[in-house]
Amino acid sequence: MASDAVANLADSLAKTQVDEGELSYKGQGLKLDNAQSVEKMVKEIEEFDGLRALRLEGNTIGVEAAQTIAKALETKSDLQCCHWSDMFTGRLRAEIPPALVSLGDALITAGARLKVLDLSDNAFGPDGVKGIEKLLKSAACHTLQELRLNNCGMGIGGGKILAAALTVCHKESSALGAPLQLKVFIAGRNRLENDGATALAHAFQLIGSLEEVHMPQNGINHQGVTALATAMEHNPQLRVLNLNDNTFTKRGAIAMAQALKHLRNVQVINFGDCLVRSEGASAIAETLKEGLPILKELNLSFGEITEEAALEVARSVQHKDQLKRLDLNGNSLGEEGCENLKEVMESMNMGDKLGSLRYQTHSKQKNCIFSTPPSAPRTPDVSSFLSFPSPDKLLRLGAKRSSLIQQQVDVLDVSKTAEAFLKISSVYKEDDAELKSAVLESIDAVLSKAFLTPSFQGLSFVSSLLVMLGLLKSEDKLKPVKVVPGHLQCLEHAVKQSYFPREHITVLNAFMARPNKSLEVCSSARDRLKSTLQKLTPES
């Protein structure tokens, strides 16, 4: 019997890592749908005295399972760290908010005082932010130090809800004499855009305790960057600022350079792929001459910076004793500019700090002969756009964007074609003529190629599209997206084109005629599409 007990204990420890108050189910790939499926986990939670950290990432948790886990957490007042990223894989988006509400309410009931809340990679959208809104406003988060919401699809709406909740948390905790001291904020790949970023900037300015801010790939341009710059001035302990792959342009970069003059603790700056341009780089160089005394890393790659401005940046880091890396890769330097940049860095005995270089020559890129060969020349990043679409990324693909996207999309895969259509159309804006034209040209390029390919299964494409729009239930793994007006506006455009088969319009019309909650948020675009389909549908 003793050996059986030892075996059971070994099995339990193999599955749940216990480390200083931590109970971990990380990466076990558990499919937890109902109360029965979490019986063992609940027992282990209930019996774990002094539970401080719970890891649920890498599993998939349904509403009933979450409610059952939540019940077990209601007595865990010592809980401080919730590592709950990637725990809703394969779940309908509608399932996630009630699951989050249950877990959040349990933490509040328990009287927990959280330090870390990680819900990254859950793709829950604005409704998911509503699911944690009550928790974020509660006393359970007055002690929060790290908030990680990377790749959650929050959008502008979610960003505003989050900002408002953090503001309430700070005000109410301050009223109790212990203000919120948030140190780490991570929210990359969330399509926050200017309005979401600006709302968060107001909250950051109020909080004032941030040490790390990571907000890459959010479609933020100079208005949002300027708001964030102002906010950063009010966070004197800031060490890491990562805004990679947003669009500063000159105005945003100059505003950020001015803000950085007030910050003495910054160690890492990542403004790569941000189009800081030469004027912005020069402004940053000016700040570097006088400030940022303990800077370790500076990334200004792919910023359309010319040789003169790049040399200014290089000279400005001369007395940065702690500098480990300067990245000016992919700028408009030319071969001679690359050589001159290397010479300047070597003359300061800092040649080893300079990252490898590729220089831009119009639409082409070449490797400098002295640099460490990069993995591949950088081309207009179509795959990045299709993975995390934003208006700026589409426009930056240039005049050949439609053909580049057309080449990237495998039209023999109807699901990928439908997904590409929705990704492209998600950035559509009726009141932006340049963007509107770019989106519609790209849509036409992909769909015309698809429908003109003899082996393309048009009806299957339409079916996939209906599933992704939430108008048709799926028997496979296709998941509905959060419908935005651009999806329906671009579909209305497509059905009017000569490449779109008339027989498929009849199918679309039949499904659009049905009432559906997923389209209610886009009622105007929905009604226009329905009207167009009715006009185009042949009379029987």
Side-chain angles (χ1 to χ4, degrees), residues 205-512:
Q205 185 167 333
L206 187 67
I207 292 168
S209 57
L210 289 165
E211 296 180 10
E212 292 188 28
V213 175
H214 302 261
M215 297 173 67
Q217 292 187 347
N218 268 299
I220 307 168
N221 61 32
H222 69 86
Q223 295 101 323
V225 171
T226 300
L228 287 169
T230 301
M232 293 307 106
E233 284 187 43
H234 294 81
N235 287 267
Q237 299 307 312
L238 189 70
R239 293 184 296 104
V240 179
L241 182 57
N242 176 8
L243 295 174
N244 186 280
D245 202 3
N246 291 291
T247 307
F248 283 36
T249 62
K250 176 178 74 173
R251 283 182 285 183
I254 290 174
M256 193 59 76
Q258 290 298 317
L260 290 170
K261 288 182 178 180
H262 301 274
L263 301 171
R264 308 290 293 177
N265 293 299
V266 174
Q267 297 177 23
V268 178
I269 296 173
N270 186 344
F271 297 161
D273 227 349
C274 284
L275 289 183
V276 298
R277 299 208 164 108
S278 298
E279 297 94 332
S282 295
I284 291 170
E286 192 64 32
T287 294
L288 282 164
K289 289 176 186 176
E290 302 295 331
L292 301 170
I294 59 172
L295 188 68
K296 294 181 178 179
E297 295 182 24
L298 175 61
N299 184 347
L300 295 176
S301 60
F302 297 97
E304 292 189 359
I305 300 169
T306 58
E307 177 187 347
E308 183 179 354
L311 292 174
E312 283 184 58
V313 172
R315 293 187 183 106
S316 71
V317 301
Q318 181 172 5
H319 300 297
K320 302 297 179 223
D321 297 335
Q322 297 187 38
L323 189 75
K324 295 180 179 178
R325 182 175 175 80
L326 173 63
D327 191 345
L328 288 165
N329 189 22
N331 283 298
S332 305
L333 305 179
E335 186 172 0
E336 185 178 348
C338 284
E339 292 283 357
N340 291 338
L341 182 58
K342 179 173 181 279
E343 286 177 10
V344 166
M345 292 296 287
E346 288 182 342
S347 71
M348 301 186 299
N349 294 319
M350 299 179 79
D352 60 330
K353 313 297 183 188
L354 183 64
S356 62
L357 294 171
R358 284 171 280 171
Y359 62 88
Q360 304 269 13
T361 57
H362 302 293
S363 62
K364 295 182 179 179
Q365 297 170 357
K366 295 183 179 180
N367 299 329
C368 292
I369 56 175
F370 57 83
S371 67
T372 304
S375 57
R378 183 182 174 93
T379 57
D381 200 348
V382 180
S383 60
S384 175
F385 167 71
L386 289 175
S387 297
F388 305 104
S390 72
D392 294 317
K393 283 185 183 179
L394 180 63
L395 294 176
R396 282 161 56 187
L397 290 175
K400 295 182 179 180
R401 65 179 68 86
S402 59
S403 60
L404 291 169
I405 293 173
Q406 184 188 64
Q407 292 167 22
Q408 182 81 10
V409 178
D410 179 9
V411 297
L412 296 181
D413 187 323
V414 293
S415 295
K416 288 182 179 177
T417 306
E419 185 178 356
F421 170 83
L422 293 174
K423 290 286 182 70
I424 299 165
S425 59
S426 69
V427 303
Y428 179 91
K429 291 182 181 177
E430 187 73 35
D431 57 355
D432 187 328
E434 183 184 10
L435 180 61
K436 178 179 178 179
S437 175
V439 170
L440 296 181
E441 285 176 6
S442 301
I443 291 290
D444 288 341
V446 171
L447 293 189
S448 61
K449 177 184 177 183
F451 284 117
L452 293 173
T453 300
S455 56
F456 181 68
Q457 298 177 341
L459 190 56
S460 294
F461 163 77
V462 172
S463 296
S464 296
L465 197 58
L466 290 168
V467 168
M468 292 178 187
L469 290 171
L471 300 175
L472 180 65
K473 289 187 176 180
S474 172
E475 295 180 0
D476 51 31
K477 294 182 179 179
L478 290 179
K479 292 191 294 184
V481 299
K482 179 76 172 178
V483 181
V484 297
H487 292 145
L488 306 184
Q489 290 165 325
C490 290
L491 185 55
E492 183 195 3
H493 165 83
V495 298
K496 292 188 287 188
Q497 307 310 306
S498 58
Y499 58 70
F500 205 98
R502 300 298 96 179
E503 62 269 24
H504 298 339
I505 291 175
T506 305
V507 176
L508 284 171
N509 185 46
F511 278 92
M512 286 299 300

Side-chain angles (χ1 to χ4, degrees), residues 162-180:
L162 176 61
L166 290 173
T167 300
V168 169
C169 184
H170 183 267
K171 287 182 176 179
E172 294 190 356
S173 59
S174 297
L176 294 171
L180 171 68

Side-chain angles (χ1 to χ4, degrees), residues 98-171:
L100 291 172
V101 168
S102 297
L103 293 166
D105 285 350
L107 298 175
I108 295 169
T109 300
R113 294 293 182 264
L114 296 185
K115 290 184 178 180
V116 178
L117 179 60
D118 185 356
L119 288 164
S120 298
D121 299 317
N122 278 313
F124 47 50
D127 289 342
V129 186
K130 291 178 184 176
I132 58 171
E133 183 179 11
K134 181 181 175 183
L135 173 63
L136 289 172
K137 291 178 178 179
S138 75
C141 285
H142 286 183
T143 50
L144 196 63
Q145 295 180 11
E146 297 184 18
L147 180 58
R148 301 170 181 267
L149 296 168
N150 203 55
N151 192 29
C152 288
M154 289 190 288
I156 295 171
K160 289 181 175 180
I161 296 167
L162 176 61
L166 290 173
T167 300
V168 169
C169 184
H170 183 267
K171 287 182 176 179

